[in-house]
Amino acid sequence: MTEIGDFEALRRAMAENSGQPEGPARNARAEQLLVEAERLNIPLAVIEALGHQLKVYNYSSEKGKMFVPFARLLRMWDERPGDFDEYETHSLHWVFKWVTSGMLDQPHVPLASVEKWLGEMEHRYRLAGHSERAVRSAEFSVAAHVGDVPRAERAFAAWLAADRDSMADCHACELHGQGWWQAERGRDAEALELWAPVLEGEYTCAHEPHTVLASSLLPLLRLDRPEEARAHHLRGFRLVRAMESMRGAYADHVEFCALTGNEARGLELLAERPAYFTDDGHPRSRLEFLSVVALLMERLSARGLGGRPVPGPAGRAWTADELAAHAREEALALAAWFDERNGTSYVSERTRARMAQEPLVERLPLGVRTARPATPAVPPPASWEPPSAADPGAVEADLPTLLAEARRLSDALQPHAMEAWAAVARAAEGVALEARDRAEIADHEAMALGPEGAGKFERAAELYAEAGDPGEALAARTRAAYVRALAGDVDAALTAVAEPYDLVLALYADGGTEMPQAAGVLMGRARILMRRVQAVGEPDAAEPTDTAEAAAVLSEAEAAVRELLALVDGRAGDDVRLAARVAEGHAMLAELAVRSGDAQAGAELFARAAAEFTEAGLPWFAVEYEARLAGLAHHLGDLVEAERALRAALEHGGAFLEPVGRAQLGLQLAEVVGGRGEPGEAAEHALEAAHWADEAGEGPTLGAWARHQLGGFLVRQGRWAEAAEVLESALADLSPQTHGDGAVVQTQWWLGDCLSELGEHRASAERRLQAADIARHWPEQHDHATLAHLAGESLGQAGLPEEADRAYARAGELWRSLGNVHGLIRSLRARAWLALRAEGGVDAARELMTRAVEECADALEALDAADTADAEGERPRLVLELGHTHRQFGDLLARSAAEDADDESIQDTWEDALSQMARAVAVFVPLGEDAVHARTAAELAAGWLETDLGRPGQAAARARAVLAAYADDDPDTGDETVRARRAEAEQLIQVTTEQTG
């Protein structure tokens, strides 16, 4: 590293170091720069280097190092105040606040010393003529820390009453402190009201809105505003993530995760900052961090995960239980140290209260991926409990009750019927039962086995026959046939169902069985035939389906369904099972209609089936058909019906809908709602979909797609920081193989837009270039060109002009190959501006802007030669582009006039610039009202050039032309552009009047 040779080099080095990330490396460089400053033997150089040290220490985890350089600075001030310039004098008094609060954060500094420094600060501020506002703010901090509420309230009131002056903290920091106290005293709504200007961006600074966003998390949850809390977490954590000095705010985000069911996210936050466990340069923030670590670990233990590995202090492996004990012990030891210094128990009480918090929200989806699940597999949303609390020795006596309950649930087709029959089977072990009871148990055991249950169904059939119920025996045999179809052997199933079908019809005709049993056989046969329909619908590509054969299969299945409906429809009465048969029959007809090409009829029948299930009190059976209906309605262009059906499916599914089903339905609903222009609500559905996909174990697949969609909806709302967090999370799992390269490109594109809006231009360029690199392989190159162009913008804003020029040049070539003259012209203009900023780049800038004008002119000439309707429509757009190019050419020339050039050279450059502005005006005039604002802007720019050239008369004429252009606009109701143009024109006239006077 080169040695500092003079004061200016030292200042440049300090400025460069200030721009480095917070942390020990920056602090060490500041210490080295102080040594270099001392070698210069310039008092002010040492003063500035000490001030630089103070600043980097304050914004790091080594805040405790501030006191030595400050004491030295204060001694230098007392001995030779004349060595301090105005800025360093101000800085010395300013950092009194840092030192006073810094002492408070170090428990080894006696409270008496803190009070002494507070008095010293008050004395010196008074001597310097400063307001007591900063002093009272510091006094409030001392009183609040030790728990002296009356003194804190008095200091708080005095703080607000004192005048703001140059020593007062910035508005953003003051509002944070004031709001923090309101929240501390239980006045959450008042806190958020105070914080509003910071949250809305009216006031900002190096650490705001970072800390306000963190401090607002729990107040928002306590006020039942979880959506805002989620947004503040995503936005705020992004701000504090890279700032080493913000351990306290970081702890607030970990605490938020612990209290919202996001323990897994909390663990990931801990893993990102291992040094936070042990860095001891700022004991107060370490206490805050360890407190929430203990809280998070104890939340994991409460979920039965105390033995799982977790990130902790380096040097050993940790489980949640072990880290909980360690963090609690360390936190309480630090709190006791503070209390010993303060002479109170206040810090320990607050620490214990923080570690003992209960969740404020059971589940708050965040939309970001979680790599390590923090909870066991999700239990069923509701569980069935046996109706009797009999002890194990009384099982046989309780069996009738269990049987009665199981039959009740089965007859009503309730979701927990299978659980009830399993309880019956367990209770019946070793108990002698009637054949009917054993038949029903076997029947339901077979149902639980799915495709493997054929043998059990056959056994149930034998037992039903033994019990004297031939109809139910035939129904059980039919169920055995159907599960064979489920296993893939449809032909065998049709052979097996033939005899039960013939027998049950004869039996029913003779009165030997009832309608439910006959309907069961007919439904089983229809289901088997529907399986054959589905098989025909998925032909082998090597053996195309015979359409005649397919029609025959469809016809046979339809006949079977209609036979069922002819038996049951209108005769179900109060029998829920029969009502369900009717609804399912209509759903089968819907499927057949769709396969026959009649989507409209299919939609109507699915709607009817869903309604019948709901009317029968079986809404959970309607979910599948509402979902099918939604897909058909979307296909038919009926988005209103599609949205209704999706909402109904989610509502009907209720607690019984599987997580993956919730995710799929939520994503579909998000797409429909977003499509009708409601990105806010669409984002809510995509957020839920992402959560349920994660719960289903589909995070890398369905979950990634949900996060992709969620990020897009957040982008549409301009919620850039939230969108960036979500999109970065999505990219971790999105892949071209699973989700398609289009999804990857779009996600990178959106993320690039977010980062650009957040001022992270280098990162934005990286994302846009990555997306462009994928899109360059696509047959259609418009996206490739657009991304290359956007990358050029980001690279230019990131201060990388050479890279930006290459990106714009690449985009220009693509625009030319696509015949997009607008893109080509804009890329040339952008390159011209980049060239102007380069050393000696004026000639290159002129050449590029000249090429842009020529491309416009050539394109207009080609349009005029084409003389087509399309050409006529394109011409005004291209003329407007030409006008803007002349206008920018004029601006570029005006700015290219070097200050150190001779007067004649400057005059010539201004003349060239004026010529381009005049051409712009001439181009805009024929476009009339469509280009009035563009014309007046060029007219005013030309007017100012006229004044520079000493032509007040011409300048005034241009200003009057602008006023005339807006003569018909009401001066009180005109838009902002009109008012601005009028004001500038009047200002220009005033200047010309002074020139001629």
Side-chain angles (χ1 to χ4, degrees):
M1 193 170 292
T2 58
E3 187 174 302
I4 301 297
D6 55 47
F7 199 175
E8 285 307 311
L10 175 69
R11 283 174 165 163
R12 287 194 299 272
M14 290 190 294
E16 180 182 352
N17 195 43
S18 293
Q20 297 303 306
E22 295 176 354
R26 186 170 75 156
N27 295 353
R29 176 61 174 155
E31 292 162 4
Q32 183 182 18
L33 289 173
L34 176 59
V35 174
E36 299 282 359
E38 290 168 337
R39 290 197 185 111
L40 296 177
N41 199 27
I42 301 172
L44 184 58
V46 175
I47 290 167
E48 290 188 13
L50 286 166
H52 176 62
Q53 248 192 14
L54 265 168
K55 180 179 179 181
V56 298
Y57 284 154
N58 185 61
Y59 293 112
S60 78
S61 61
E62 298 180 306
K63 292 176 186 285
K65 291 185 175 182
M66 285 193 302
F67 308 125
V68 172
F70 179 72
R72 184 177 173 186
L73 270 174
L74 197 60
R75 185 172 63 252
M76 293 175 71
W77 167 263
D78 288 338
E79 293 173 355
R80 296 172 59 89
D83 289 342
F84 289 71
D85 62 13
E86 182 180 354
Y87 178 82
E88 292 303 328
T89 300
H90 176 275
S91 296
L92 175 70
H93 288 82
W94 180 268
V95 296
F96 251 108
K97 300 180 294 181
W98 293 357
V99 172
T100 304
S101 64
M103 288 180 172
L104 200 62
D105 297 337
Q106 303 288 336
H108 69 274
V109 178
L111 191 61
S113 296
V114 178
E115 294 283 8
K116 174 181 175 296
W117 273 101
L118 182 62
E120 182 76 10
M121 176 183 174
E122 183 172 10
H123 171 69
R124 288 180 183 266
Y125 273 37
R126 188 180 299 115
L127 286 178
H130 296 307
S131 163
E132 67 172 13
R133 188 177 183 93
V135 178
R136 298 284 76 84
S137 172
E139 181 189 6
F140 159 75
S141 297
V142 173
H145 171 66
V146 302
D148 187 345
V149 175
R151 182 188 180 192
E153 292 284 19
R154 290 193 302 273
F156 187 83
W159 169 21
L160 269 61
D163 293 334
R164 278 188 59 83
D165 67 351
S166 62
M167 282 297 112
D169 281 341
C170 75
H171 282 289
C173 288
E174 282 207 329
L175 289 172
H176 173 248
Q178 293 161 17
W180 173 85
W181 182 242
Q182 298 296 345
E184 190 73 9
R185 304 302 297 156
R187 300 185 285 264
D188 290 331
E190 290 87 341
L192 287 161
E193 186 176 348
L194 280 165
W195 288 331
V198 183
L199 294 170
E200 292 165 6
E202 183 178 347
Y203 300 122
T204 61
C205 71
H207 278 184
E208 295 297 350
H210 313 44
T211 56
V212 164
L213 286 163
S215 296
S216 71
L217 296 172
L218 298 198
L220 285 168
L221 291 173
R222 290 193 291 263
L223 291 171
D224 195 26
R225 293 158 64 177
E227 292 79 11
E228 291 173 74
R230 173 178 52 241
H232 286 199
H233 168 65
L234 293 177
R235 178 182 164 201
F237 181 68
R238 186 173 190 83
L239 293 173
V240 305
R241 171 181 264 148
M243 300 184 73
E244 187 208 33
S245 65
M246 303 202 72
R247 179 162 55 182
Y250 201 98
D252 290 340
H253 287 281
V254 176
E255 179 181 38
F256 167 81
C257 293
L259 299 178
T260 57
N262 287 291
E263 294 88 353
R265 167 84 166 170
L267 291 177
E268 292 186 349
L269 268 56
L270 297 188
E272 286 192 30
R273 280 290 184 181
Y276 276 174
F277 288 99
T278 52
D279 281 349
D280 57 5
H282 190 244
R284 190 170 180 178
S285 68
R286 183 165 182 253
L287 167 60
E288 293 167 350
F289 182 75
L290 290 171
S291 299
V292 301
V293 169
L295 170 67
L296 176 62
M297 295 306 117
E298 287 170 8
R299 289 305 312 148
L300 287 171
S301 296
R303 289 181 176 269
L305 295 164
R308 70 154 296 159
V310 294
R316 57 160 289 187
W318 296 88
T319 66
D321 284 342
E322 291 167 344
L323 186 57
H326 170 80
R328 175 176 285 275
E329 181 182 355
E330 291 280 307
L332 289 175
L334 281 168
W337 193 11
F338 277 105
D339 284 340
E340 182 181 0
R341 188 272 302 272
N342 299 339
T344 69
S345 60
Y346 183 67
V347 176
S348 293
E349 291 168 2
R350 291 185 75 251
T351 300
R352 287 191 174 89
R354 191 172 197 182
M355 292 189 293
Q357 292 176 98
E358 292 295 322
L360 293 170
V361 178
E362 185 61 30
R363 178 185 69 83
L364 181 60
L366 301 178
V368 291
R369 75 193 282 266
T370 299
R372 297 179 299 278
T375 56
V378 182
S383 60
W384 174 82
E385 291 293 335
S388 170
D391 61 73
V395 169
E396 185 175 346
D398 193 49
L399 189 54
T401 304
L402 292 174
L403 269 168
E405 176 67 3
R407 284 171 178 151
R408 182 189 70 79
L409 293 173
S410 292
D411 291 342
L413 296 180
Q414 293 299 300
H416 295 307
M418 297 301 293
E419 290 181 56
W421 279 107
V424 168
R426 288 192 298 271
E429 289 180 8
V431 178
L433 295 175
E434 296 291 332
R436 177 74 191 196
D437 299 337
R438 287 183 286 132
E440 290 180 84
I441 292 172
D443 207 356
H444 288 89
E445 286 177 340
M447 293 178 194
L449 293 173
E452 305 300 322
K456 277 282 186 182
F457 279 127
E458 295 289 0
R459 177 56 182 155
E462 293 172 1
L463 290 167
Y464 281 126
E466 182 182 335
D469 191 342
E472 198 61 56
L474 292 171
R477 286 177 60 190
T478 301
R479 288 191 281 277
Y482 177 57
V483 297
R484 289 190 176 92
L486 289 179
D489 197 346
V490 176
D491 291 339
L494 284 171
T495 300
V497 81
E499 185 179 30
Y501 169 70
D502 291 336
L503 292 175
V504 83
L505 291 178
L507 193 63
Y508 180 67
D510 292 340
T513 191
E514 298 179 358
M515 184 182 293
Q517 288 73 29
V521 174
L522 295 184
M523 175 55 79
R525 179 171 177 270
R527 286 173 176 169
I528 293 168
L529 288 167
M530 289 299 295
R531 294 294 297 182
R532 190 168 68 167
V533 167
Q534 292 164 10
V536 169
E538 299 170 354
D540 188 323
E543 297 181 16
T545 303
D546 186 322
T547 55
E549 179 188 349
V553 169
L554 290 171
S555 178
E556 187 177 5
E558 181 178 352
V561 175
R562 294 197 181 279
E563 184 179 18
L564 165 70
L565 291 173
L567 174 69
V568 181
D569 202 2
R571 301 182 182 87
D574 295 330
D575 191 321
V576 172
R577 289 192 173 206
L578 291 176
R581 302 292 192 209
V582 172
E584 187 177 351
H586 287 131
M588 288 176 172
L589 291 180
E591 177 70 23
L592 293 169
V594 172
R595 288 177 177 271
S596 298
D598 193 344
Q600 184 62 52
E604 293 169 3
L605 284 163
F606 276 130
R608 179 175 179 178
E612 288 168 339
F613 274 122
T614 305
E615 290 163 7
L618 305 170
W620 45 88
F621 285 112
V623 173
E624 177 185 353
Y625 307 117
E626 293 283 18
R628 290 296 310 279
L629 171 58
L632 283 174
H634 201 286
H635 171 72
L636 293 167
D638 189 350
L639 298 184
V640 173
E641 177 64 3
E643 182 176 341
R644 184 213 61 76
L646 288 166
R647 291 185 188 279
L650 284 165
E651 179 184 352
H652 294 334
F656 306 110
L657 192 57
E658 291 292 326
V660 69
R662 282 185 182 277
Q664 291 167 340
L665 290 170
L667 264 178
Q668 292 175 54
L669 184 55
E671 181 183 352
V672 172
V673 172
R676 65 172 169 81
E678 296 290 341
E681 185 186 346
E684 294 173 12
H685 295 304
L687 177 70
E688 283 290 315
H691 168 78
W692 288 112
D694 290 342
E695 291 291 320
E698 297 287 341
T701 51
L702 186 60
W705 182 256
R707 280 181 267 279
H708 159 81
Q709 295 281 56
L710 171 59
F713 292 130
L714 292 171
V715 166
R716 285 171 59 182
Q717 297 173 75
R719 294 160 64 177
W720 309 112
E722 296 168 65
E725 282 291 300
V726 171
L727 292 167
E728 286 175 345
S729 181
L731 279 171
D733 290 318
L734 283 174
S735 70
Q737 296 77 21
T738 303
H739 304 92
D741 54 8
V744 177
V745 167
Q746 182 63 80
T747 304
Q748 296 274 27
W749 193 329
W750 281 330
L751 182 53
D753 292 347
C754 293
L755 296 170
S756 177
E757 293 288 342
L758 294 169
E760 300 176 37
H761 299 299
R762 186 185 291 264
S764 172
E766 290 174 2
R767 295 299 184 179
R768 287 168 167 174
L769 288 170
Q770 288 167 3
D773 194 51
I774 298 173
R776 71 189 176 90
H777 299 292
W778 294 354
E780 211 291 317
Q781 288 288 284
H782 184 274
D783 286 343
H784 181 197
T786 303
L787 286 161
H789 199 111
L790 290 170
E793 288 182 11
S794 294
L795 290 163
Q797 291 171 315
L800 300 167
E802 292 180 7
E803 292 86 343
D805 184 72
R806 285 197 295 271
Y808 278 127
R810 174 184 176 186
E813 292 169 3
L814 291 165
W815 291 130
R816 186 185 296 281
S817 69
L818 291 167
N820 188 323
V821 68
H822 298 279
L824 172 59
I825 291 163
R826 290 168 190 175
S827 68
L828 288 168
R829 293 198 307 238
R831 293 180 65 196
W833 284 107
L834 285 170
L836 182 65
R837 293 195 287 271
E839 187 175 347
V842 174
D843 290 342
R846 281 175 172 260
E847 180 186 348
L848 286 162
M849 202 65 84
T850 300
R851 282 174 56 193
V853 171
E854 290 170 350
E855 291 288 352
C856 277
D858 291 347
L860 280 168
E861 185 178 342
L863 274 180
D864 292 340
D867 193 23
T868 64
D870 289 342
E872 187 62 28
E874 169 64 12
R875 196 174 200 289
R877 289 184 61 236
L878 202 49
V879 169
L880 192 64
E881 198 76 75
L882 177 61
H884 287 309
T885 305
H886 281 302
R887 163 68 201 279
Q888 287 199 33
F889 202 168
D891 284 337
L892 182 141
L893 291 169
R895 296 185 194 185
S896 72
E899 292 182 2
D900 57 354
D902 58 76
D903 290 345
E904 184 177 352
S905 174
I906 292 174
Q907 292 279 326
D908 290 345
T909 301
W910 283 348
E911 288 285 5
D912 289 346
L914 178 59
S915 173
Q916 292 294 334
M917 290 297 183
R919 291 178 187 176
V921 172
V923 170
F924 288 137
V925 167
L927 297 175
E929 287 299 312
D930 291 338
V932 64
H933 292 332
R935 175 170 68 86
T936 54
E939 198 85 73
L940 288 166
W944 290 113
L945 284 166
E946 301 273 22
T947 62
D948 291 334
L949 290 164
R951 302 167 187 165
Q954 291 93 321
R958 292 189 181 280
R960 285 192 290 273
V962 171
L963 292 174
Y966 298 119
D968 295 335
D969 291 271
D970 187 329
D972 297 322
T973 60
D975 66 24
E976 187 62 36
T977 301
V978 173
R979 289 195 294 272
R981 293 283 196 275
R982 280 181 168 148
E984 188 177 351
E986 288 164 359
Q987 181 187 7
L988 180 56
I989 289 172
Q990 178 65 34
V991 170
T992 59
T993 301
E994 293 170 359
Q995 278 188 335
T996 56

